[in-house]
Amino acid sequence: MERIEHRACFDGWQDVYRHESASLNCSMNFSVFLPALASRKKLPVLYWLSGLTCTEQNFTTKAGAQQYASRHGVIIVAPDTSPRGQQVADDMGYDLGKGAGFYVNATQKPWAAHYRMYDYVVTELPELIESEFPASEARSISGHSMGGHGAIVVALRNPGRYRSVSAFSPIVAPAQVPWGKKAFEAYLGPDRTAWRQYDACDLVRSAAEKLPLLVDQGAADEFLETQLKPHLLKASCEAVGHPLTLRLYPGFDHSYYFITTFIGNHIAFHAKALHG
Amino acid sequence: MERIEHRACFDGWQDVYRHESASLNCSMNFSVFLPALASRKKLPVLYWLSGLTCTEQNFTTKAGAQQYASRHGVIIVAPDTSPRGQQVADDMGYDLGKGAGFYVNATQKPWAAHYRMYDYVVTELPELIESEFPASEARSISGHSMGGHGAIVVALRNPGRYRSVSAFSPIVAPAQVPWGKKAFEAYLGPDRTAWRQYDACDLVRSAAEKLPLLVDQGAADEFLETQLKPHLLKASCEAVGHPLTLRLYPGFDHSYYFITTFIGNHIAFHAKALHG
């Protein structure tokens, strides 16, 4: 593991590390914000999963999360969104291949050799963080768009592993929308039963743990009707009594200007669960 | 004037406009953050000048200034850092030509045809803002690095025009450092007497108005010793009794992680002068 960026930010350090990932079989970057308090004691960790086309940089440079992480004593870890490198399969589209890992373990050629973002996020990355940084085993997870999908799926499938989960503008029903169908067809193959383990609307119906979902969505989001469809998650949650807070904000779109406006609320929400 | 971006952010709108600039003889972008309060009354304006290689986007996406502008009822306007377009002269270096206008009026070929950022920032842009937006004539100015140089020079040369001025990591003595000497030689020619009207350390010695300077500088800034040299500004201010607050922050570098940490302080400082 090599530290490739190290920058003072608020009372802590905004760092970027590169390491060899066994799950993904390639070199990967992740960013980590360490509040000052981390020099004296272990702190809980909020994992942030980014959306299509992003790297570890987008959330780190644009969300303005560090001030809240510093205030609440929470480490934030933001991985890249796919395996990387010349040997890694890719696609011409922005919504498949590099920058579009969809947080699944691919089973189909040519993707299966590297595209195992589910294992990376659930197992490998937390093991690395908890062994190499002053991180406790208290974990929460959040994300945006494709990363909001990833956060909810990862939390629902791993009862007890996360203290809280939230999402901005998540793809809640990937098996039913163009982005998700394209990615799942490629990564998981045509058999739609394999898709269900990565579809939040499906998973919530059989969730072993009723971890409350916090979802914020811009009402002027250009992808709201075609790709995001939060009403489908609402219907699934209502059908089984899964707790959901779904907030719709007039005027806000799909950009980081939406995230930066409300990330303080999300970090306060996670900090309460993490320190509670 | 055409609005090319319009995004809800905190209680207001983060917009980007494109217009034909008469000073620069080309099409230019600038960003403007309009707090909600601007729909009911005219608000004062903080102008932000960015550093080398930047466009109107860097500060707008990375500084996290909107939350403070919203809280204090201040409009923020961030122009691009040079003329743009295929017809505009350029240089292979990142520190001359496009992205490196240095906030001067160039007098030398091939630069003089477009590189008039001083006139653009001092006159054309405020006239446009004050005629087209709910902006009062209360103005403040700030900036980073090359833009910190621009902010201080513009404020010192225009007594009464700005209520307050501040800078992050400014180039305070461009006539004495590599970045400034390269730019001034090209834009203003070899006669160094022409350089003095754009050198903060020179200008402060004969400033007609003792507008207090607020300068924040990271002590781990990679350009501190070679390009920034804030001790030269301190010496000039002390020589003539010009009020200066110069704060050095251990650990902080030249990046936007430094700016985002302290932009709230700067906006509060400007808001006090603007609303006072």
Side-chain angles (χ1 to χ4, degrees):
Chain A
M1 194 175 73
E2 178 195 6
R3 190 171 73 190
I4 58 176
E5 286 187 37
H6 182 55
R7 299 178 188 279
C9 189
F10 288 90
D11 79 342
W13 293 95
Q14 180 58 66
D15 295 341
V16 176
Y17 285 81
R18 180 170 295 158
H19 73 119
E20 290 303 313
S21 164
S23 324
L24 301 169
N25 192 22
C26 68
S27 182
M28 289 291 286
N29 291 353
F30 62 86
S31 84
V32 55
F33 177 73
L34 293 166
L37 201 57
S39 63
R40 300 208 308 275
K41 58 184 265 198
K42 288 190 175 188
L43 296 180
V45 181
L46 172 63
Y47 291 86
W48 173 269
L49 305 184
S50 289
L52 287 167
T53 77
C54 290
T55 70
E56 82 288 348
Q57 291 288 328
N58 301 63
F59 178 79
T60 309
T61 60
K62 293 183 174 179
Q66 293 92 350
Q67 63 183 294
Y68 308 107
S70 167
R71 188 180 307 161
H72 291 288
V74 172
I75 294 170
I76 300 184
V77 173
D80 201 347
T81 58
S82 76
R84 299 283 179 180
Q86 287 198 319
Q87 78 285 17
V88 172
D90 201 4
D91 181 85
M92 298 289 286
Y94 71 95
D95 52 1
L96 186 65
K98 292 178 190 172
F102 265 87
Y103 307 102
V104 304
N105 290 335
T107 55
Q108 307 296 300
K109 284 186 180 175
W111 311 105
H114 295 284
Y115 284 77
R116 300 184 62 83
M117 287 297 292
Y118 180 84
D119 279 356
Y120 180 69
V121 164
V122 173
T123 309
E124 184 179 3
L125 186 59
E127 281 178 6
L128 184 70
I129 297 296
E130 289 158 24
S131 69
E132 299 293 327
F133 296 90
S136 74
E137 292 180 11
R139 309 172 200 99
S140 291
I141 192 160
S142 184
H144 175 236
S145 195
M146 176 182 75
H149 140 76
I152 298 173
V153 163
V154 159
L156 289 173
R157 286 182 55 177
N158 294 276
R161 192 157 175 78
Y162 299 93
R163 298 276 183 93
S164 53
V165 59
S166 77
F168 289 84
S169 331
I171 305 169
V172 299
Q176 300 182 53
V177 303
W179 277 340
K181 285 194 276 190
K182 179 177 176 180
F184 286 5
E185 177 93 23
Y187 297 142
L188 306 173
D191 177 3
R192 295 176 63 105
T193 57
W195 300 12
R196 302 181 64 171
Q197 60 188 319
Y198 296 111
D199 186 288
C201 282
D202 253 322
L203 289 167
V204 84
R205 292 174 183 271
S206 56
E209 180 195 34
K210 297 238 180 280
L211 192 65
L213 306 181
L214 170 61
V215 174
D216 278 346
Q217 174 64 56
D221 189 318
E222 56 273 40
F223 302 111
L224 180 59
E225 301 299 334
T226 51
Q227 306 278 10
L228 305 177
K229 298 181 183 284
H231 63 280
L232 295 178
L233 183 64
K234 187 158 180 275
S236 287
C237 285
E238 283 174 356
V240 296
H242 196 109
L244 166 71
T245 302
L246 171 61
R247 301 183 293 210
L248 211 63
Y249 294 91
F252 284 88
D253 68 8
H254 201 64
S255 73
Y256 266 91
Y257 293 113
F258 175 49
I259 297 171
T260 196
T261 301
F262 297 104
I263 192 70
N265 292 350
H266 282 238
I267 292 175
F269 164 79
H270 291 296
K272 195 173 169 190
L274 287 165
H275 292 301
Chain B
M1 194 174 75
E2 178 196 4
R3 190 171 72 189
I4 58 176
E5 286 187 34
H6 182 56
R7 298 178 188 279
C9 189
F10 288 91
D11 79 342
W13 292 96
Q14 181 58 65
D15 295 340
V16 176
Y17 284 83
R18 179 170 294 158
H19 73 119
E20 290 303 314
S21 164
S23 326
L24 301 170
N25 191 23
C26 67
S27 183
M28 290 290 286
N29 291 354
F30 62 87
S31 83
V32 55
F33 177 73
L34 293 165
L37 201 56
S39 64
R40 300 208 307 275
K41 58 184 267 198
K42 288 190 174 188
L43 296 180
V45 182
L46 172 63
Y47 291 87
W48 174 270
L49 306 183
S50 290
L52 288 167
T53 75
C54 289
T55 70
E56 82 288 349
Q57 291 288 330
N58 301 64
F59 179 79
T60 309
T61 60
K62 293 183 174 180
Q66 294 91 350
Q67 63 183 295
Y68 308 107
S70 167
R71 189 179 307 163
H72 291 289
V74 172
I75 294 169
I76 301 185
V77 173
D80 202 348
T81 58
S82 76
R84 299 284 179 180
Q86 287 198 320
Q87 79 284 16
V88 172
D90 201 5
D91 182 86
M92 297 291 284
Y94 72 95
D95 51 2
L96 186 66
K98 291 178 191 173
F102 264 87
Y103 306 103
V104 304
N105 290 334
T107 55
Q108 307 296 301
K109 286 185 180 176
W111 311 105
H114 295 283
Y115 285 77
R116 300 184 62 82
M117 286 296 291
Y118 180 84
D119 279 356
Y120 180 70
V121 165
V122 174
T123 309
E124 184 179 2
L125 186 59
E127 281 178 8
L128 183 71
I129 297 296
E130 289 159 24
S131 70
E132 299 293 327
F133 296 89
S136 74
E137 292 180 11
R139 307 173 200 98
S140 290
I141 193 161
S142 185
H144 174 235
S145 196
M146 176 182 75
H149 140 75
I152 298 174
V153 163
V154 158
L156 289 174
R157 286 181 56 177
N158 295 278
R161 194 159 174 77
Y162 299 92
R163 299 275 183 93
S164 54
V165 58
S166 76
F168 288 84
S169 331
I171 305 169
V172 298
Q176 300 182 53
V177 303
W179 277 340
K181 286 195 275 190
K182 178 176 177 181
F184 286 5
E185 177 93 23
Y187 296 144
L188 306 173
D191 177 3
R192 296 175 63 104
T193 57
W195 299 13
R196 302 183 63 172
Q197 61 188 319
Y198 296 112
D199 186 288
C201 282
D202 253 322
L203 289 167
V204 84
R205 291 173 185 272
S206 56
E209 181 195 33
K210 297 238 181 280
L211 192 66
L213 306 180
L214 171 62
V215 174
D216 278 345
Q217 174 65 55
D221 189 319
E222 55 274 38
F223 302 111
L224 180 60
E225 303 297 334
T226 50
Q227 307 279 9
L228 306 177
K229 297 181 182 287
H231 62 280
L232 296 178
L233 183 64
K234 187 158 180 273
S236 287
C237 285
E238 283 174 354
V240 296
H242 196 109
L244 166 71
T245 302
L246 171 60
R247 300 183 293 209
L248 210 64
Y249 294 90
F252 283 89
D253 69 8
H254 201 64
S255 72
Y256 265 91
Y257 293 112
F258 175 49
I259 297 171
T260 196
T261 301
F262 296 103
I263 192 69
N265 292 350
H266 282 238
I267 292 175
F269 164 78
H270 292 296
K272 195 173 169 190
L274 288 165
H275 292 300

